[in-house]
Amino acid sequence: METTHLHRESPPARTGALTTAAAAVAGLALAGAGASGIAFDIVGGIMAGIAAVTGESGVVDLGFDPPMAAARAAALAAGTTLLVTAVRRRRRARGACSRCGRRPDNGAADNGAAGHGGRDDAGRTSPAGGGRETWQRLSVRAGYLTVLLAAGYGALKVQWGLGGTVGLTDPRAFGDVHLWTPGLGDTGVLALIGMALGLGFARTWRPPLRMPRWMPLTAASVGSVMLVPVGVLGTGQRVAVALGLAQPSLEGVSPWVFDVIYPWFLTWGLAMGTAAAGYHYRTRGVCRACGRGRPAFVRDTGAGVPAAREGAGTTTL
């Protein structure tokens, strides 16, 4: 009679899984603690610099504490490092490349072989379609959503800087302000950057606008880290106000602005992150560690055969 043996996970494997999980949890905790105030540190630093140049005070006093800003940045960096370490350990445990996450069994799909679903790294659709194609469509739409959300926020701040009163219960709530007043025009510029990033991620622009891919991806990461925590905390505060658990601090601003702007920030940050992730997967090209994948962009040689674009390490936005 045959005996079926149950293969249990070995103690070293369990220890490795627990170590990976612990690193992920610690990374999330540190990154969350660092991200919780990083938006105010960045915007507060920008406003402090503008105030020093123009001599004007900002529309709000965010303050800027360099030691606390440095501590939050360090926590965010340490948490991100732990998360990346955990992801790479998990990939190795699954037999995938720790750098790109590709596995040998899906290497053919990444290199454009027929019969595998979705899109390849360059965004071309393989015959089978599938979930990867759905993900790519979602990320492109998230890019356009990022453009709309950034434009809406920028328009609100710029019209305040130009003397507009939309969203104000007191027309003089901010006193005498100008477009260059800290907290108005500068945030409008940040919104413009967000619009450019969203459009670039959605369209995957080609030359002559060329830049290393890490630049837009880093900018989008910073933007998401700024927006998502503020959106979560602000939305929670508005819920607490609605339940009578906290007192509103309106200071001449219409209540609907706060009710709208914090969920707006949350959606904007998530959309930007989704669009950036899609752009990353469309343009990551051939992995330098495992050699899987294919060039991110191809050019037509004129003979009907696409050739890999030179400079595989540089993509365009």
Side-chain angles (χ1 to χ4, degrees), residues 1-7:
M1 185 175 74
E2 294 183 357
T3 303
T4 302
H5 297 280
L6 299 177
H7 298 281

Side-chain angles (χ1 to χ4, degrees), residues 154-253:
L156 177 67
K157 300 303 287 287
V158 168
Q159 67 93 19
W160 281 347
L162 294 174
T165 59
V166 175
L168 298 179
T169 55
D170 179 5
R172 307 299 298 173
F174 299 142
D176 293 325
V177 296
H178 310 282
L179 196 56
W180 56 87
T181 297
L184 295 178
D186 50 338
T187 50
V189 172
L190 293 177
L192 281 176
I193 295 173
M195 292 172 63
L197 288 173
L199 185 59
F201 291 148
R203 298 291 298 172
T204 314
W205 287 338
R206 299 299 200 268
L209 295 179
R210 304 180 59 160
M211 66 177 69
R213 63 196 298 271
W214 63 264
M215 292 179 65
L217 291 174
T218 300
S221 299
V222 173
S224 294
V225 167
M226 290 175 63
L227 291 165
V228 172
V230 173
V232 171
L233 295 174
T235 301
Q237 183 184 42
R238 296 308 296 171
V239 170
V241 169
L243 296 176
L245 302 177
Q247 295 296 320
S249 178
L250 303 180
E251 299 179 353
V253 180

